[in-house]
Structure formats: C-alpha cells, structure tokens
Amino acid sequence: MPLIHENKFVPDHWQRLADDQPVPADGKIIIPLQRLDEARQVRGSALGSIGIHLANIARIDDVIPLLPNLPLISIAFPAFSDGRGFSLAKRLRRLGFKGTLRAHGPLIADQYPHALACGFDEIDISESHALRHREAHWRAATGSISLGYQRGYVRSGTILDRRAASRRA
Amino acid sequence: MYHYDEFDRSFVQERVAEFRAQVARRLDGSLTEDEFKPLRLMNGLYLQLHAYMLRIAIPYGTLSSIQMRQLAMIGDRWDKGYGHFTTRQNIQFNWPKLADVPDMLQALADVDMHAIQTSGNCIRNVTADHFAGVAADEVEDPRPTAELMRQWSSLHPEFSFLPRKFKIAITGAQHDRAAIKAHDIGIRILRHPQSGETGYEISVGGGLGRTPMIGKTIRDFLPKADLLPYLEALMRVYNAEGRRDNKYKARVKILVHEIGIEPMRAAVEAEFTATNRDAVAPDSAEIGRIEQAFMPPAYERLPDESAFLARHSAANAEFAQWVAVNTFGHKQPGYSAVTVSLKPIGGAPGDATSDQMRALADAADAFSFSELRVTHHQNIVLPNVKKDDLFELWQRLAAHELATANIGLISDIIACPGMDYCSLATARSIPIAQAIAQRFASPERQRTIGELGIKISGCINACGHHHVGNIGILGLEKSGAESYQITLGGDATETAAIGERLGPGVGADDIPDTLERIVDIYLAERSPDERFIDTYRRVGIDRFRGAIHALDS
Ligand code: HEM
Ligand code: SF4
C-alpha cells in the first residue's frame, strides 16, 4: 500500500492485519480496536508496536485510556467525501494523542492539506488509487494554497496570525 | 465596504490556479468525474439541463460598482449578455463552457470576487440583511461578522466535506430581512438585557427543501469574541453526528429534529468548553480591522425632508408611487435606501442584462457611494441615496426598465429557474411567475392589495422558498402534467412560519384565477391596514379553501 508521508510515497513499515490473520509475535501491526485483547494475549500489555484502526464513528471514550501509549492510530475514510475522519483526528489531537495519525482510504490529493491541518501525519491509499493520485499531485497539493484563514489547526501560520504579526511590526 | 488585503487577494488567486490544475487533472483522467464533482461544486460550477452553470458569491449581498461592471463584462463575454441574481444573494451565469471557467474565475479574482463555496457540501456563501449598515431599525451592522465568517469558512480544513450543504445567515436588526430561521445557522445581533453589550443569538436547524423546518434557538447570548470557537464546536458536532446514509436526511435540521434541541445544545456546549478559544478566535485588532472597513461613508448633513423630492412627488404620481413603494427608511437624515426591482411585469424574476448591470453600477457611482446590494428577494439595493437625488435616479433607472414600483407587492415574486434551466425540475416556475405578474399588472391594484409575497419553486427542493412565501407555489408533476400545490401563511421573517397546504394541486393555466380568488377572499375579510399574512392568521386557512378548484382527473 503506498503511504504518503512528508509529501513523498514512502515504504510502509506497518502491517495491516487481515481479519483472519493471527496476531504475530512481533512486528508492527495495525489491528481494529476489537482485536486489542487478543493482541495483548500474544504480546503482553505493552503497545509499542501495535497500531489501532478506528472507524470514523468510533466512540472516543473507548480509546482515551490508550492514547498516551499508542504509537499509531489509523482512521478509516470509507469515501473521500466523508469528512468525519477530520473531526475525529482533531478530537484525538486535542485529547493529547502524540503518536502517528494515519488516514486510511481513498482520499484525493486535494485533501492532503486538510488532513495535515487536522492532525494527520500520513495517508494510506490503495495501489490503484495511487495510479491516479500520484506523488507529484500530493506534493503540489501542499503548496497550492500557501496560507489559510482558520486558526487552531496544524500548519505553519495563518492569514490571521500573519496580519497580527504585521500589525506588531 | 471590505476591500481585500494582500492575503485575501493571494488566497483567491491561488484558488483559481488550484482549480485550473484540477480541471487539467480531470481532463487527463487523474480525477474521476466523482472526484472532480465536489471540487467543481466548491468552485460554484453546476451541471444543468443545457449547460454548466457558474454561481458566483456576492458575500452578504454587498458589491461595488466595479464588481458589478465586471459581472456585466462576464455576462457579455462568456454568457448570453445577462445574469440571474438568486435568493442566496449570488449571481448565476447559465451558459458558460467548462474550458472558459478558469478564465471567468480569474476575471472575478481580478476584482476581489470568487465562486468559492457557492455550492457543495460545505459552508456556503454567508447571507445577511440587505439593508445592513443603513437600516433605521438596526442594533448593529452585521457585515463585519459576516465578513469574518466568510474568511473563516473559506476552504475550512475540517468542514469542507460535510454531510450536506450548510447555510448561515445573519441580521443585526429587529426585523429579520435575512430569513435567518430558514437557515442551518441563523444569527441575530442583540443587546444583552443586563450588560447592554452586543452579542449573538444563535439558532440552528432551519432549512427548506423537502422537509421544511424553522430554526431553534441554541444559544440565547453568545459574546462576540466567542463566535468562531462556538461555530467550530457546532460544526464539529454536525460533521461527526450528521447523517450520511441518506442525502435527504443529512442536513443539520434533521439531526436537531432527531436528537432534539436540548441534547444538541449539550453536545455543542461540551465541544465548545473543550475548545481552546484563544487558539481559535481572532484577536481584537483583527475584528477592529474588519469593522473599520464598514464605517459609514461620508454622508452630508442634511435635513430629513427634501423639498426637491416633495415637489417632484407632487407633480409626478408615477414617481411618487415608486418612492412610496421602493424606498426604505435610512439611519442618516436626508438619505434613503432604494430597492431596484428586477421584477418587471412579464420578466424572469432576478434576471438582469449586462446593460442593466452597467446602468446600476453607474447609478451607484453617481448616487450611492459606489455600493450596491443584492437582496434574497432577487432585487438590487442602492443603499445610500440622497432624497434630493431620488428623482434623477428614478429617471435614469426608468431608461433601463429598472423603475418597476412593486417591492414587497404581489408581482415582486421569487421564483427558482425551474424547468427552463434546472435538471431537477418537475414543473416550470418562471412562466408561472410571469403569468401571475401579468394578471396583477395594474399598479393601483397591487397597491390596494398591499404587502404580499409569492414564492415559487419548480420542485420539492424549494430553491424558490415556497414554504415561507405568504403564498407558496410548488410545481410538481402528476401523471405527465404540471400540478401546482399552493400553501398559505408562510413567513420568512422574525415571525417565521411554514405555509399550510390549501388543497389539491392546480393546473398551470388555472393559477392566475386561483390567486385572484385568494386575493378576493383576503380583500373581503381584511380589516383596515391589515396585511395578507395578518388576515390569514386571524381568519385561518379554511376561509380560503374555496379558492381551489381541483384539477379534473
Ligand atoms: C439550477 C440549478 C439548481 C439546482 C440543481 C439546485 C439544487 C438544489 C437542491 C438539490 C436543493 C435541496 C437541498 C436540500 O434539500 O438539502 C436546493 C435547495 C435550495 N436552493 Fe437550489 N438549485 C439550483 C438553483 C438554485 C437557484 C437559482 C437558487 C436561488 C434563486 C437556489 C437556492 C436554493 C435555496 C435557497 C435552497 C433551499 C435551501 C434550504 O433547503 O434551506 N437554487 N437546491
Ligand atoms: S427548486 Fe427544484 S426546480 Fe427549482 S431550481 Fe431548485 S432544484 Fe431546480
């Protein structure tokens, strides 16, 4: 699966476990929340190499206790037009999640700046999707609008802050 | 009015370049039609019955003479020499070619305009009272808040892929001329009863379409500084919780209806409390910067009465009637706000030719500090005209067929494009409006009838606001024939109400007669000075039932 990270297609070091695939003894894996107990039976309680995949309607209360120790959360985008994952990411970051936040699904390159601003680090798309949404498109998307208006999102500067800075200057 | 600074300007320019690249990626196959669709919609580009349609934002209905002239140029160059002003204070061009659209957007960007978010499942163009800043009954000018929201909602990183479109309207006056209760969010500026400080009353869950609903108050008083953090909280609740399984149930009105206003309020307040307000809100200097842009123009100090106006009114009955019907009380003594009707008898409501747009721009330069407004009734306002200048203005407007004296009267009809342009239509609406206006063409008769709003939609989507028309007309299709459903008692103002169905559908040819009968019943029943809506509320719908003669079938 192509992974877009810092404007580039990079190798994915995480393995997304299929439903019928048993939890391996080691290696970085991404599993749905429901399989966490099973994984802990195999690997003990440490979460160091376990990533959790969440539906975009996941109950946030269920993951709050895990947030300080989880290295990765993957959020499902069932369709690019379904923006719920953006709000879920924003809430997870507000709750202090410091690990890697990954969007999983057919996002289009034009949404890359949205995803980054809401707190995602990387986007996981399918091989076939990557044939049309190529690396150059993702890179171009981050530069298409240099400054946005909304404060409180993850990005380097906003129009409002730049205006404030020029008032101070 | 607000003028773009360097940041606004480069934002809009970059957006044009981005769209140009998106069109190119659509053409080379990198974007599928499904992927391209929301991107083009967020730039105002619809696919209609005959062609593409480009919907251009006129934020909170305010535009300059320069911008109006550019719209005229766009109409001449890329359309058929006219444009259509809409109920959402936008303008639509009905005949652009896809390949020309990036150039049209560039022409808009050149005069600080855009088509951003006039369509799509995002926060749409913010609308406001068309008399903002000049109305005598105003608590505070809503335009600075509307401009702040325009900026905040543009290309929002979190709220650009909502369950459904999202419309915000704001008024700063006692009398609601912005139909705020028919919007997803309605905002009213008011004074705090104790502190006297101005703030916002917020309502949520209004909307028309196939399930019309009147918005409910979710916050009685929001301090002004908290606006953006509060809106962010509300939008997040909607984005996360709004239904996505059925597009007809995806508006926030359905969420509020299904979970109830109390749980909705609790969810928004919880989200708001968790929000770091300082990280989201603009600083007070930014608010001040925007407010500064809406300072009143350099009015002359004048007596409120104009002898010149009185003399011409006495000498010219037609002019006097136009003044009586089309001017509105102004804050500033000696000035009037003038509404220019885009509803000539027999015309298509809201259409203006490029020549008329230029005439309006010239009139704004000569008489109204170069500023114009678009109303959600699909008319144009010159907000700042000296009473002394009214006569000359009227003569100039008359030369361009822009002096129809019918504002608020029975021929000032709102109608959606309907079957003539729209692929979703089930019936015609423009020809129905024309037939009604022709039937009631006599100016004396219209004035006798008084204030009466007719609103017509060509299908259940309700673009013509028929639910909130005093008389609403909805065009449907019944076994291959057009059938019009008539509702009475709708109201889009602070006393908002959804109209009630009068009876079975009426055939297109029978509409003028049916309206005639409704009007006759009203005139027979009304007390002196009673408006149609007041009489209707007093006597009830049953008194009007006899007006319907059912379709034979
Ligand atoms: C010609 C192409 C048009 C199409 C395809 C179209 C489509 C639609 C649809 C599908 C809805 C229903 C949305 C819903 O229920 O969620 C709607 C509502 C609406 N449209 Fe249009 N429309 C068109 C033109 C217009 C025009 C010309 C105007 C203004 C004159 C307009 C103003 C509105 C308004 C005010 C609503 C009601 C919003 C509400 O439900 O609160 N539309 N439109
Ligand atoms: S109400 Fe229906 S017919 Fe009229 S413009 Fe809207 S979608 Fe088209």
Side-chain angles (χ1 to χ4, degrees), chain A residues 82-84 87 90-91 94 110-111 114 129 132-133 144-146 149-153 159 163 167, chain B residues 5 8 14 22 25 30 35 151-152 154 156-158 161 236 239 271 278-279 281 283 285-286 289:
Chain A
D82 183 341
R84 281 180 280 203
S87 286
K90 178 81 181 158
R91 282 173 161 158
R94 188 173 67 204
D110 309 79
Q111 292 175 305
H114 298 258
H129 197 67
R132 288 187 298 101
H133 295 278
S144 60
I145 308 285
S146 21
Y149 289 99
Q150 304 78 13
R151 301 183 66 234
Y153 289 82
I159 290 174
R163 281 179 183 147
R167 273 192 288 272
Chain B
D5 69 357
D8 299 309
E14 285 178 337
Q22 286 166 343
R25 277 163 60 223
S30 299
E35 289 168 342
Q151 298 187 19
W152 164 80
S154 294
H156 198 289
E158 190 178 346
F161 296 88
R236 185 166 299 127
N239 191 37
E271 192 65 43
D278 290 339
D283 62 12
E286 173 65 10
R289 183 188 75 90

Side-chain angles (χ1 to χ4, degrees), chain B residues 346-362:
Chain B
D351 275 6
T353 65
S354 291
D355 286 339
Q356 287 178 321
M357 290 185 228
R358 275 185 288 267
L360 287 164
D362 293 344

Side-chain angles (χ1 to χ4, degrees), chain A residues 46-59:
Chain A
L47 293 169
S49 53
I50 294 183
I52 292 292
H53 179 68
L54 295 178
N56 62 7
I57 51 169
R59 273 171 36 97

